[in-house]
Amino acid sequence: FEEMRQKGLDLTIFFYNPNIHPRREYDIRKHENKRYCEKYGVPFVDCDYDDISWFDRMKGLEHDPERIGVRCTACFDMRMEVTAKYAYDHGFDVVTSTNTTSRWKCQSQVNGAGIKASSLYFP
């Protein structure tokens, strides 16, 4: 984030995380993201809590292993599809995700989901 700001990039934080449970934890994380955006004067887009759609899409994958399983790929796909659509509808040229920097996430899954979702709107 800091490096992108230093390079003068026009940033917007898009918060779409229907996978975070319970709702209290989701609200804590959303609030912290909003606070961070306010601190740095960065626009914040709240995509609302869409847990019903997430549970529907993950049906049958409840016992899939974290990180290497199909559920993680399906979750990244869902989140990146919504992100890419929003970006397209609102004139953004690029999307990225902080998930690629997490030691708990598989970078190839995140990148693959982003490429797949972006190809739907940015051929």
Side-chain angles (χ1 to χ4, degrees):
F1 178 81
E2 289 83 8
E3 185 176 336
M4 289 186 285
R5 287 185 70 233
Q6 287 173 355
K7 290 182 177 184
L9 297 176
D10 184 17
L11 305 174
T12 297
I13 302 298
F14 182 75
F15 193 80
Y16 179 65
N17 294 287
N19 56 307
I20 299 174
H21 307 284
R23 176 65 187 256
R24 183 179 183 285
E25 177 65 21
Y26 171 87
D27 289 335
I28 289 168
R29 294 187 194 192
K30 181 174 87 170
H31 175 75
E32 181 58 23
N33 273 268
K34 286 173 89 172
R35 188 191 66 75
Y36 193 78
C37 287
E38 288 169 6
K39 177 180 177 181
Y40 290 102
V42 173
F44 178 84
V45 176
D46 182 359
C47 198
D48 292 328
Y49 194 51
D50 191 18
D51 62 328
I52 293 170
S53 295
W54 187 82
F55 279 115
D56 286 347
R57 188 144 173 187
M58 299 306 126
K59 195 169 203 99
L61 302 174
E62 296 87 353
H63 302 291
D64 220 44
E66 183 73 22
R67 194 173 191 203
I68 59 169
V70 174
R71 184 182 68 204
C72 284
T73 299
C75 180
F76 290 134
D77 284 347
M78 178 182 182
R79 293 164 62 200
M80 292 306 287
E81 287 163 13
V82 170
T83 303
K85 180 170 182 356
Y86 182 90
Y88 178 79
D89 290 346
H90 293 87
F92 290 87
D93 299 327
V94 177
V95 297
T96 189
S97 172
T98 58
N99 282 315
T100 58
T101 62
S102 172
R103 65 183 169 158
W104 306 112
K105 304 299 179 199
C106 176
Q107 190 176 37
S108 64
Q109 282 178 317
V110 177
N111 288 339
I115 291 166
K116 183 178 166 185
S118 293
S119 71
L120 297 171
Y121 301 98
F122 305 98

